[in-house]
Amino acid sequence: MSKIKQKQNLLRKQVVPYEKAEMKKSVRQLVNTFIPFFALWIAAYASLSVSYLLTLFFGILTAGFVVRMFIIFHDCCHNSFFKSHRANVIFGNITGIVTGFPFMQWRHEHNVHHASSGNLDKRGVGDIWVMTVDEYMAATPKERLAYRLYRNPLVMFGLGPLYLMLWTNRTNRKGARKKERMNTYYTNAAIVSIIAVLCYTIGWKAFLLVHGPIVFIAAMLGIWLFYVQHTFEDSYFEESDEWEYVKAAVEGSSYYQLPKVLQWVTGNIGYHHVHHLSPRVPNYKLEEAHENVAPLQNVPTVTLKTSLESLKFRLWDEEEKKFVTYRDIKRILQKQAV
């Protein structure tokens, strides 16, 4: 076994002690997420008679707790939030209904993402569309336009949340088994039932005015977090023959260094490199693993300010092993011509 492989195996072993869920911490997180969520939602509704700006303010706060609830859902999908598999399935479905995600479908696609993140030969499931420079240059004008529209911030963070909530999570993937398909149908039925009850109780206009912004903002934040934690200049992409799981985890997933308040709201998902190295580490132990395992501190790090730079990255340059902009293509072509 090579020294590199030995180091990688050692790194994975060092994270193992943090893979144990703790009932008290899990229950505490459920309490400090669900109660503020419902309280803020009610406050947003109550404020409609005062000022819609106040409603939007409460809506933004509520959206933060939707993101936090999604992290719980996310952990349940990895069977890491509780020791009990059954408890993970039950609360995974509950949080999935509240956040709008079918548990079994999302679990499958996300597991595929973890098993193939950074693998150029296995793109397309549970990830963001990334083209290499060579693929873009060989693409038709129609394909280039589609890609440019997809990667445009206004589309990705504007239309993306609507597409995510109204279509992607409402339909089954091709080839899904019956149990997974039925789980999607049950989730959709539960969501429709809750919406129907709320519309009957408070009126459809009030429901849209309150819940519409909450869902949109939460989805937009979720897309942003996923995007920025895999889209930074010196990320990691390799073809299958060269792809390595550990390198993909610690080099292809960023450490998003957020202010403590935002770190708490986002359930420590900024420690994305730790999560990709070991999905079985519950979100409330990600920081602890990062702080106590020295190699995990020497990873790509982005802050709120530097993360905005990721918006300019469009294509993966296989030769230089980094993300580049559309403008960089001219320079690349000139280099190839020489």
Side-chain angles (χ1 to χ4, degrees):
M1 184 182 294
S2 67
K3 290 184 177 180
I4 294 178
K5 286 290 184 182
Q6 289 178 340
K7 287 183 178 180
Q8 291 178 346
N9 289 337
L10 176 60
L11 181 57
R12 295 186 73 171
K13 288 180 180 179
Q14 287 178 292
V15 180
V16 170
Y18 304 96
E19 294 178 348
K20 299 176 182 178
E22 295 182 27
M23 178 62 76
K24 287 184 178 180
K25 290 184 177 180
S26 296
V27 171
R28 186 185 304 126
Q29 192 168 61
L30 286 173
V31 171
N32 64 32
T33 301
F34 271 86
I35 291 178
F37 166 76
F38 286 115
L40 287 167
W41 203 101
I42 293 171
Y45 169 67
S47 67
L48 282 173
S49 60
V50 180
S51 168
Y52 192 60
L53 287 178
L54 185 59
T55 301
L56 289 177
F57 170 74
F58 283 124
I60 292 172
L61 296 180
T62 310
F65 282 93
V66 173
V67 172
R68 184 168 169 81
M69 195 179 301
F70 176 81
I71 299 303
I72 295 174
F73 163 80
H74 167 265
D75 276 10
C76 289
C77 287
H78 284 297
N79 207 36
S80 64
F81 195 67
F82 292 104
K83 291 180 181 180
S84 166
H85 173 73
R86 185 178 181 182
N88 281 305
V89 171
I90 292 173
F91 282 92
N93 277 285
I94 292 173
T95 51
I97 290 170
V98 177
T99 57
F101 290 85
F103 176 75
M104 294 188 70
Q105 180 201 82
W106 196 87
R107 180 178 63 180
H108 169 83
E109 293 190 352
H110 192 62
N111 284 337
V112 172
H113 163 68
H114 270 266
S116 60
S117 180
N119 190 322
L120 290 172
D121 296 322
K122 296 182 179 180
R123 286 168 288 170
V125 179
D127 56 12
I128 289 175
W129 186 13
V130 175
M131 291 182 77
T132 66
V133 171
D134 290 342
E135 289 170 343
Y136 182 80
M137 296 305 298
T140 65
K142 185 178 179 180
E143 290 170 334
R144 291 188 186 184
L145 176 61
Y147 185 74
R148 280 179 172 266
L149 288 174
Y150 177 93
R151 301 284 296 196
N152 186 291
L154 293 177
V155 174
M156 183 173 290
F157 304 110
L159 297 179
L162 298 177
Y163 180 75
L164 181 69
M165 302 310 298
L166 297 178
W167 179 253
T168 304
N169 294 323
R170 308 281 71 83
T171 57
N172 280 301
R173 63 183 179 86
K174 185 178 180 180
R177 294 182 178 181
K178 182 179 179 180
K179 192 173 182 180
E180 181 181 323
R181 294 199 309 273
M182 293 307 296
N183 181 258
T184 300
Y185 298 147
Y186 293 149
T187 301
N188 288 341
I191 292 173
V192 170
S193 298
I194 293 172
I195 292 175
V197 170
L198 285 171
C199 287
Y200 178 79
T201 304
I202 68 174
W204 67 269
K205 289 184 179 179
F207 173 77
L208 288 179
L209 287 172
V210 172
H211 202 63
I214 292 172
V215 172
F216 181 82
I217 294 170
M220 182 175 62
L221 291 174
I223 293 173
W224 168 253
L225 286 169
F226 188 80
Y227 175 83
V228 75
Q229 291 179 323
H230 291 285
T231 307
F232 48 94
E233 187 171 14
D234 299 317
S235 189
Y236 176 91
F237 283 93
E238 292 287 356
E239 295 179 351
S240 291
D241 292 342
E242 300 293 328
W243 184 85
E244 296 179 16
Y245 178 86
V246 174
K247 291 191 70 175
V250 298
E251 295 181 19
S253 305
S254 69
Y255 164 36
Y256 197 7
Q257 195 174 39
L258 295 169
K260 285 296 182 180
V261 173
L262 293 181
Q263 179 186 321
W264 185 86
V265 170
T266 57
N268 298 308
I269 200 61
Y271 295 96
H272 213 58
H273 57 300
V274 183
H275 170 65
H276 263 265
L277 180 62
S278 178
R280 292 302 300 273
V281 177
N283 73 81
Y284 48 76
K285 288 189 176 181
L286 292 174
E287 181 179 13
E288 185 181 358
H290 171 84
E291 294 295 336
N292 293 330
V293 180
L296 293 178
Q297 298 167 24
N298 186 29
V299 296
T301 303
V302 293
T303 63
L304 277 178
K305 182 179 180 180
T306 59
S307 65
L308 296 177
E309 296 177 5
S310 67
L311 293 172
K312 69 182 181 182
F313 297 131
R314 310 296 189 188
L315 302 161
W316 179 255
D317 186 344
E318 288 190 79
E319 289 190 11
E320 296 191 14
K321 304 293 184 185
K322 67 178 184 179
F323 271 107
V324 296
T325 67
Y326 293 130
R327 291 182 180 180
D328 289 327
I329 295 179
K330 292 183 179 179
R331 177 181 54 81
I332 294 171
L333 290 175
Q334 291 175 349
K335 182 180 178 181
Q336 292 176 345
V338 174

